[in-house]
Amino acid sequence: MRARAHGKGSAVRRVVTACAGLVAFACLAACTTPSPEDPADGPTTQLDLTRAGEVGNRTDPRAPAPAPEIDGATRGGTVHVVTAAVPDSLDPARSAYTDTRAILSDLVVRSLTQLAHDPDTGRMVLVPDLATDLGRPNADRTRWTFTIRRGVRFENGEPVTAADVAYGVKRAFATTELPGGPAYLRTFLVDGDRYQGPYATTAEVRARPGARPDAYAGDDFAGVEVRGSTIVFRMRRPFDDMPYLASFPQLAPVPREADSNPAAYGDHPVATGPYRIASSTPGSALQLARNTEWDPATDPGRHQYVDGWRFSFGLDPSRVNGLLLDDAGEGRAALTYDSVEPATFEALRESDPSRLAVATSPCTYLWYLDTRRIRDVRVRRALGWAYPYARAWEAGEEIVGTTRVPGTTLLPPGTAGRVEHDPLGNGGLISDPARARSLLEQAGSVGFAIRWHYASDLPEKVAAKDVVVRALRSAGFDPQPIATTAAQLRTVQRDPDGPQNVIESGWCSDWPTGSSWFPAQWAPAMVDEPGMPNPSMLDAPVVQARIDRVLGTMTGDAAAQAWGRLDRSIMSDWYPAVVLGHGGVALARGSEVGGMAVDRMTGMPVFADLYVDAGS
């Protein structure tokens, strides 16, 4: 979903947007190489990217509430989060990006399960949340039952019910009204490909252009059943990973009476977490205050140490870096979820390395190539040879070997079953404009126009764009970058009818198997759907057949190996995306921010554990 990592001004989806050098592969963060059992946060950690895809495979179905206290944590104060990124919506149904998911799941809304940070190992552990356990499957994993724990209340004091969770789930299917959310529910739940949410009537959805004749809408949905305090999910096929999917904000409860205007619900989702929205200015600011109805005795993973949160979005990266580097005034209680610029990273390593948090993330950065518009695979491969990998990353202020390293596979390193392959044979790093031009000549496509959006209000994005333009032009393409703003980037990239034929973005593992990648990103069944869940528009029936076969007939190691083979096949046979590398994050905090750690699933700070230590 995670279009779920992020970089300078945007976030990768895990539900998917982009980040933006690299000449040598030596990691700038020095000292030790942690094992998966060792803490991975801290300035002296050398990143072991070869195991990044393993993150998130720990579970604790009996985790007790309240959550264990963080050593040294104090209460009070306000944390100021500063970022160049601009979340497009805080509606749980639309939370497809790592930052929106982290803000919602750590602070504002609760789902059936949650990923909690283990400070002893630095790993994220799947634990219960609204539910009393991690779900109870039937023998063939086609039904999952969750029981809602007692004592959980909305911010208005009303108790949370299984019916509220069911309504929140149904909203996620209304992709016409609420586009851009993760596609997992539609892929795995019974009738997920037919059901269109609770807002329209069946007659209305069947009258929509291109609608399936068996589509339906309304309150009755075959995939979810409520029985008192339990909610039952009926799956289209056996599904082992439902406990992970149950942690998504899409499975957060929504009171029906608060949803009279679905388009506006994201301005103030009704809180069940430790904080509620006090004020929101979409695109620029968000303030959170304590939710007095949150009861820590019902929550195994979160804390409520600070009095409030202030998020400032869409800031100039130089302002973000300067505020944290200076560590004065309001900067002392500030942090960012953007990876800092190389100069800031080096300065903090020298002056105050404790204020850096460096960690891997299970993400792959991509140029998604619209296969409807770039039909000839030779043209697509020419783009892979033309892309100026190292120069673009350097221009985009990436940190060599830490926030970006070369890659050639869709699955990130360490993912179970991943097959090492190199479809171009360039190591994910070598550019060859002459070879690119030769491929264009063979295809009769010299001068082929390449159009992609970039954030013209972020200097490093402009610099990276300029490097890419020069490289594409020298290889025989006609580069036509489309200027937009950081605030609009996610919205315009989701438009399947927009002018772009390339999308710069990426994907992060939502759980440590290929089932969080290929059904959500590469299934031909989702071509032309609202929000572009298949960004490359890859419409290959054999790919759909292989996805269906893995989901319907394989589990465990067999499924993992099949996903790895599908990765190799997609890139070798169709080359629908240019892999722009893998990487990690290098985040910074002010000296008064305590408890700083990185959620290695999302590359985001673990907001749920932070506190302000004014005595530091």
Side-chain angles (χ1 to χ4, degrees):
M1 154 181 178
R2 335 214 315 12
R4 204 72 228 146
H6 44 272
K8 320 298 191 292
S10 54
V12 177
R13 288 183 49 160
R14 225 161 262 278
V15 168
V16 357
T17 297
C19 297
L22 191 66
V23 175
F25 302 157
C27 183
L28 291 182
C31 283
T32 61
T33 301
S35 76
E37 305 302 319
D38 295 330
D41 307 310
T44 60
T45 299
Q46 182 178 7
L47 299 184
D48 181 7
L49 289 162
T50 63
R51 310 190 74 164
E54 297 178 359
V55 68
N57 59 5
R58 283 275 185 91
T59 64
D60 184 359
R62 296 182 177 86
E69 295 294 327
I70 303 298
D71 289 344
T74 56
R75 290 176 62 86
T78 297
V79 173
H80 187 194
V81 181
V82 290
T83 174
V86 183
D88 57 341
S89 174
L90 289 176
D91 191 312
R94 300 179 62 191
S95 56
Y97 292 84
T98 53
D99 55 352
T100 53
R101 181 181 176 187
I103 294 167
L104 287 170
S105 292
D106 276 17
L107 301 174
V108 181
V109 303
R110 299 175 62 178
S111 302
L112 294 171
T113 64
Q114 62 179 310
L115 284 155
H117 184 253
D118 180 352
D120 293 330
T121 66
R123 301 184 72 166
M124 302 305 292
V125 181
L126 189 71
V127 303
D129 192 357
L130 292 178
T132 56
D133 53 30
L134 297 180
R136 302 178 300 281
N138 63 355
D140 66 359
R141 301 297 201 270
T142 57
R143 283 177 180 260
W144 284 86
T145 301
F146 296 82
T147 299
I148 304 302
R149 69 172 74 225
R150 296 179 179 178
V152 181
R153 298 182 296 274
F154 288 108
E155 64 180 83
N156 61 7
E158 292 296 316
V160 171
T161 68
D164 296 319
V165 176
Y167 182 72
V169 170
K170 292 172 187 177
R171 297 176 75 251
F173 289 87
T175 56
T176 297
E177 294 85 357
L178 302 171
Y184 295 125
L185 294 172
R186 288 143 61 193
T187 298
F188 293 115
L189 266 62
V190 165
D191 281 2
D193 54 341
R194 298 175 53 212
Y195 181 59
Q196 300 296 309
Y199 303 122
T201 65
T202 295
E204 288 170 340
V205 301
R206 292 182 180 177
R208 291 171 180 169
R212 291 176 50 151
D214 59 350
Y216 70 96
D219 199 46
D220 293 329
F221 170 43
V224 175
E225 180 181 350
V226 173
R227 302 173 182 171
S229 62
T230 67
I231 181 169
V232 180
F233 295 92
R234 298 176 60 213
M235 318 310 293
R236 295 171 64 184
R237 49 176 69 90
F239 184 46
D240 289 333
D241 296 318
M242 185 63 196
Y244 287 95
L245 179 55
S247 71
F248 275 52
Q250 286 185 311
L251 286 89
V254 175
R256 186 187 296 265
E257 62 273 15
D259 192 33
S260 59
N261 182 1
Y265 186 76
D267 295 339
H268 191 139
V270 182
T272 46
Y275 296 91
R276 60 176 178 82
I277 293 180
S279 65
S280 176
T281 304
S284 62
L286 173 70
Q287 295 206 38
L288 305 180
R290 289 185 186 273
N291 175 11
T292 58
E293 297 296 332
W294 175 76
D295 184 354
T298 70
D299 196 328
R302 300 177 184 83
H303 302 95
Q304 195 190 52
Y305 291 130
V306 304
D307 292 331
W309 296 79
R310 183 158 64 98
F311 289 80
S312 296
F313 304 117
L315 300 182
D316 188 297
S318 62
R319 179 181 174 189
V320 172
N321 281 261
L323 183 72
L324 291 163
L325 191 58
D326 291 344
D327 193 36
E330 64 174 352
R332 294 175 62 83
L335 75 148
T336 184
Y337 61 79
D338 303 337
S339 285
V340 295
E341 296 171 350
T344 302
F345 182 75
E346 285 296 330
L348 285 174
R349 277 211 310 162
E350 293 296 323
S351 65
D352 196 351
S354 67
R355 294 200 289 115
L356 286 170
V358 180
T360 61
S361 58
C363 304
T364 302
Y365 304 93
L366 298 159
W367 246 29
Y368 293 93
L369 312 179
D370 189 332
T371 55
R372 303 168 307 171
R373 296 170 173 175
I374 311 176
R375 294 181 176 275
D376 195 315
V377 69
R378 292 171 295 186
V379 177
R380 300 197 293 269
R381 289 180 177 137
L383 283 168
W385 284 110
Y387 195 88
Y389 303 91
R391 299 193 305 278
W393 301 337
E394 290 166 350
E397 298 284 359
E398 295 292 347
I399 301 172
V400 174
T402 298
T403 64
R404 192 65 58 93
V405 298
T408 59
T409 63
L410 297 175
L411 291 171
T415 307
R418 177 177 178 266
V419 175
E420 192 68 49
H421 64 89
D422 187 349
L424 294 183
N426 71 342
L429 182 67
I430 297 171
S431 302
D432 189 337
R435 189 162 184 172
R437 182 177 288 271
S438 176
L439 286 167
L440 288 178
E441 290 172 349
Q442 293 173 33
S445 296
V446 172
F448 194 96
I450 299 299
R451 297 179 294 274
W452 73 101
H453 291 96
Y454 71 98
S456 61
D457 51 347
L458 296 178
E460 77 280 6
K461 293 298 184 183
V462 175
K465 177 266 300 180
D466 290 343
V467 169
V468 172
V469 165
R470 289 193 295 270
L472 294 184
R473 186 172 291 128
S474 70
F477 287 97
D478 176 16
Q480 299 178 8
I482 307 165
T484 186
T485 64
Q488 289 297 314
L489 183 63
R490 299 180 187 185
T491 299
V492 296
Q493 289 192 141
R494 280 202 309 263
D495 181 2
D497 299 318
Q500 75 281 348
N501 57 11
V502 169
I503 293 174
E504 183 176 357
S505 190
W507 194 261
C508 305
S509 299
D510 287 313
W511 50 83
T513 74
S515 68
S516 76
W517 282 75
F518 299 99
Q521 279 263 281
W522 301 100
M526 295 188 298
V527 167
D528 282 329
E529 290 220 1
M532 294 184 69
N534 182 339
S536 287
M537 298 293 182
L538 180 63
D539 193 5
V542 66
V543 172
Q544 186 66 57
R546 291 178 67 174
I547 289 173
D548 290 340
R549 180 170 177 266
V550 179
L551 293 177
T553 66
M554 299 181 187
T555 59
D557 289 342
Q561 297 298 322
W563 292 129
R565 292 192 297 271
L566 182 58
D567 181 344
R568 180 176 58 192
S569 177
I570 286 175
M571 292 300 291
S572 298
D573 296 342
W574 289 277
Y575 198 76
V578 180
V579 176
L580 303 185
H582 311 290
V585 295
L587 312 183
R589 64 173 178 87
S591 57
E592 292 182 359
V593 176
M596 181 72 164
V598 177
D599 177 343
R600 284 190 271 165
M601 288 293 292
T602 63
M604 293 288 293
V606 182
F607 292 128
D609 290 352
L610 293 178
Y611 60 92
V612 174
D613 183 3
S616 63

